[in-house]
């Protein structure tokens, strides 16, 4: 059948079972919006800023495993989306971003609202396309979804000139696609798998270290089988939380700059490190010269470029996490060898000594609300079942430390790019994807103002989010670093003109609650959660001087933590 380019786009999205498109209209995409208006299968969510659209699509993707889809206009619409595209790229989140473009004849003429969207986004996408012929629409969309969702996932930009959206051609959506230049490795190399298992079973002080790749690769169940078969301790990155249950006795919690004492000490002293779906980023490794000095390192990753990129490894295995973990589990079942029981007993004894440090203790008798207390009570009241999004800063670390995630895709935050303003729109995407679940956005008074206009989106679509604003009156993590490393020169980290968040929430049509005493924390949380159909903004006035511990200073090793 013959369709316009705009109509083809809608049909492509239908063929990919897209549920929601997050976007903001403008001149270059009006034909596409008109095509959306004429159908009801793909729902459009009108955000209040293009950055909000990308973060909402990101939150949808992280919570479902399906690609998020964004539609923005040319020029400033596309540039406003770049931060969200980069956020998704750093954390390997599948996303399709459709950007409008000026008509082909005007490209390069500095036309109204023209930017080189392909050039601008090239460093922060997995791939991007400029569609120059309406006949290519179906093929390019099929390729875009394939690239975004296979191998190491990531965002793909499709730039579409306005005249392509009005041109007509016959439409047929491909049932499958083959790209000669793109063929991700799926299975692990059999020899490397056997070698890795031999090393694992010879370990005396083993550690399993997993990252966001296990979550993105849907490998949680296989990871649990693998970890329990071996009986080894496991630690997870900020992005990997929930792939293995936080409440399980083998879990040592998060590692890295604000990781637990037992996780970091276990990493430093281990003799075999099994890294799965993690990329050895700087917030995990600390000083690379001091990282895991005694360890033989096994590294499993779907992206060959990530292996030995930061840390040289001894046994590289390229493949999908699910596939390689299945291969590990099969090898462990087939071998007659077992882990070294006596050495493992000694190793667990040492780990439990480190655990006894209770590195996450804080003053529970304080007359000022402690942020840790709020997160602990949120966990207790929700029984750990909420989907929790966060912004970036101290509140993000407190959420990671004190809200125990037992399941994957319940913890949604910007890890790699560290994007303030992410939490609220990401919660929008997660709530739309899971309308019956409790979605809580943990944020701070600095981060929430970055995309606070999305409270209007929540109002329009009746999204009953619970916003946990840990308000200490300053950029908490910035202030903490200034206290530790800049001799308490608090340059531009304090706010003297904060709004009344309760009134702000109410002005958008939501419920606002201000909480100033520890005794009021639990009643306020219970009241908010009882409001099943309303967004509640909880403004907790917290201790301005509270810091995140443990902390590894820049240039230090994992065994050189500041504990108090």
């Amino acid at each position: 059948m013959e369709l316009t380019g705009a109509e083809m786009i809608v049909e492509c999205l239908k063929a990919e079972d897209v549920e929601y498109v997050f976007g903001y209209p403008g001149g270059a995409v009006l034909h596409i919006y008109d095509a959306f208006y004429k159908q009801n299968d793909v729902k459009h969510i009108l955000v209040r800023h293009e950055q909000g659209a990308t973060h909402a699509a990101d939150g949808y993707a992280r919570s479902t495993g399906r690609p998020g889809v964004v539609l923005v206009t040319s020029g400033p619409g596309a540039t406003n989306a770049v931060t969200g595209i980069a956020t998704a790229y750093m954390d390997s989140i599948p996303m399709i971003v459709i950007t409008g473009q000026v008509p082909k004849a005007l490209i390069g003429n500095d036309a109204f609202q023209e930017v080189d969207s392909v050039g601008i986004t090239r460093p922060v996408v997995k791939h991007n396309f400029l569609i120059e012929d309406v006949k290519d629409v179906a093929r390019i969309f099929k390729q875009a979804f394939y690239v975004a969702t296979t191998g190491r996932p990531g965002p793909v930009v499709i730039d579409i000139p306005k005249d392509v959206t009005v041109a007509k051609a016959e439409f047929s959506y491909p049932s499958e696609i083959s790209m000669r230049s793109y063929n991700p490795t799926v299975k692990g190399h059999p020899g490397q798998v056997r070698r890795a298992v031999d090393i694992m079973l010879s370990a005396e002080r083993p550690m399993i270290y997993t990252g966001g790749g296990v979550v993105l690769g849907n490998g949680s169940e296989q990871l649990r089988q693998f970890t329990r078969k071996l009986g080894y301790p496991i630690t997870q990155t900020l992005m990997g939380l929930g792939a293995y249950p936080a409440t399980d006795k083998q879990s040592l919690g998060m590692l890295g700059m604000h990781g637990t004492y037992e996780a970091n000490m276990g990493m430093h002293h281990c003799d075999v490190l099994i890294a799965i779906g993690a990329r050895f980023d700087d917030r995990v490794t600390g000083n690379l010269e001091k990282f895991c000095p005694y360890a033989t390192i096994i590294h499993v990753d779907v992206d060959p470029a990530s292996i030995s990129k930061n840390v040289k490894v001894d046994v590289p295995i390229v493949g999908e996490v699910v596939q390689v973990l299945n291969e590990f589990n099969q090898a462990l079942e087939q071998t007659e060898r077992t882990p070294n029981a006596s050495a493992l007993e000694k190793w667990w004894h040492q780990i439990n000594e480190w655990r006894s440090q209770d590195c996450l203790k804080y003053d529970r008798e304080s007359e000022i609300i402690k942020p840790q207390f709020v997160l602990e009570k949120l966990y207790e009241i929700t029984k750990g079942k909420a989907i929790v999004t966060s912004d970036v800063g101290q509140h993000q670390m407190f959420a990671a430390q004190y809200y125990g995630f037992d399941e994957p895709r319940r913890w949604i935050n910007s890890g790699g790019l560290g994007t303030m303003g992410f939490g609220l729109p990401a919660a929008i995407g997660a709530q739309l994807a899971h309308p019956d679940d409790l979605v809580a956005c943990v944020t701070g008074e600095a981060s929430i103002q970055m995309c606070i206009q999305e409270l209007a989106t929540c109002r329009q679509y009746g999204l009953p989010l619970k916003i946990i604003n840990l308000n200490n009156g300053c950029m908490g993590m910035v202030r903490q670093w200034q206290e530790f490393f800049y001799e308490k020169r608090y340059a531009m980290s304090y706010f003297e003109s904060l709004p009344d968040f309760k009134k702000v929430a109410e002005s958008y049509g939501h419920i606002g609650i201000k909480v100033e005493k520890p005794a009021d924390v639990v009643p306020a949380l219970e009241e908010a959660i009882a409001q099943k159909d309303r967004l509640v903004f909880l403004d907790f006035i917290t201790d301005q001087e509270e810091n995140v511990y443990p902390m590894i200073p820049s240039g230090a090793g994992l065994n050189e933590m500041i504990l108090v």
Side-chain angles (χ1 to χ4, degrees), residues 124-428:
V124 292
V125 294
K126 188 174 178 183
H127 194 62
N128 53 23
F129 299 89
L130 171 63
I131 300 182
E132 299 183 80
D133 191 323
V134 69
K135 295 176 183 177
D136 295 331
V137 169
R139 172 182 58 82
I140 286 176
F141 266 79
K142 186 68 175 181
Q143 288 179 336
F145 275 90
Y146 175 62
V147 170
T149 58
T150 57
R152 181 177 180 175
V156 174
V157 165
I158 306 174
D159 199 35
I160 305 178
K162 186 171 183 178
D163 55 327
V164 174
T165 66
V166 73
K168 286 189 173 184
E170 288 190 3
F171 174 79
S172 176
Y173 197 66
S175 59
E176 56 185 33
I177 202 79
S178 176
M179 300 175 69
R180 187 171 59 180
S181 61
Y182 177 71
N183 189 22
T185 301
V186 175
K187 295 183 178 181
H189 186 281
Q192 292 295 78
V193 170
R194 288 194 298 270
R195 184 181 169 207
V197 171
D198 284 343
I199 293 170
M200 292 175 201
L201 294 174
S202 301
E204 295 186 354
R205 301 185 309 279
M207 280 289 292
I208 301 171
Y209 149 53
T210 65
V214 179
V215 177
L216 296 171
N218 298 314
S220 178
E221 185 56 40
Q222 290 78 6
L223 175 66
R224 295 170 194 220
Q225 294 171 14
F226 173 71
T227 304
R228 288 163 182 163
K229 280 180 193 293
L230 290 171
Y232 292 173
I234 181 171
T235 181
Q236 298 172 88
T237 67
L238 178 71
M239 300 306 302
L241 296 178
Y244 191 85
T247 54
D248 189 272
K249 62 182 180 180
Q250 287 176 242
S251 174
L252 306 190
M254 184 175 69
L255 80 160
M257 179 173 282
H258 296 294
T260 67
Y261 184 68
E262 54 268 28
N264 286 336
M265 292 297 284
M267 288 286 290
H268 182 78
H269 290 282
C270 72
D271 68 343
V272 171
L273 178 62
I274 307 161
I276 304 171
R279 58 187 179 87
F280 294 90
D281 74 281
D282 60 294
R283 291 298 171 105
V284 162
T285 63
N287 188 326
L288 285 171
E289 294 181 1
K290 301 177 181 180
F291 179 72
C292 293
Y294 316 109
T296 298
I297 301 177
I298 300 161
H299 188 190
V300 178
D301 204 289
V302 73
D303 180 9
S306 291
I307 294 182
S308 290
K309 178 180 180 180
N310 297 327
V311 172
K312 182 175 174 54
V313 304
D314 301 285
V315 186
I317 301 175
V318 178
E320 291 183 353
V321 161
V322 167
Q323 181 69 33
V324 177
L325 281 169
N326 278 330
E327 292 164 1
F328 282 164
N329 287 333
Q330 289 169 9
L332 290 171
E333 288 174 1
Q334 292 167 2
T335 184
E336 295 180 359
R337 295 182 62 193
T338 58
N340 186 330
S342 61
L344 193 57
E345 184 180 359
K346 292 177 183 177
W347 182 227
W348 272 111
H349 180 74
Q350 174 62 76
I351 287 170
N352 288 329
E353 281 190 8
W354 290 325
R355 268 180 169 160
S356 67
Q357 290 274 352
D358 191 15
C359 65
L360 298 182
K361 61 180 178 290
Y362 66 93
D363 181 11
R364 287 180 166 79
E365 305 301 320
S366 172
E367 295 182 2
I368 306 173
I369 296 174
K370 294 289 186 180
Q372 302 97 315
F373 180 73
V374 177
L375 269 304
E376 281 188 339
K377 295 306 173 186
L378 179 66
Y379 174 79
E380 290 175 10
I381 292 169
T382 62
K383 298 179 173 60
K385 301 298 184 183
I387 295 174
V388 179
T389 72
S390 87
D391 273 299
V392 172
Q394 285 185 324
H395 57 270
Q396 177 189 27
M397 295 299 108
F398 287 133
Q401 290 175 332
Y402 292 91
Y403 195 100
F405 296 94
D406 281 350
E407 297 297 331
R409 301 193 183 279
R410 313 294 289 185
W411 167 234
I412 298 170
N413 76 116
S414 169
L417 197 64
T419 307
M420 294 171 69
F422 174 84
L424 174 55
I428 289 173

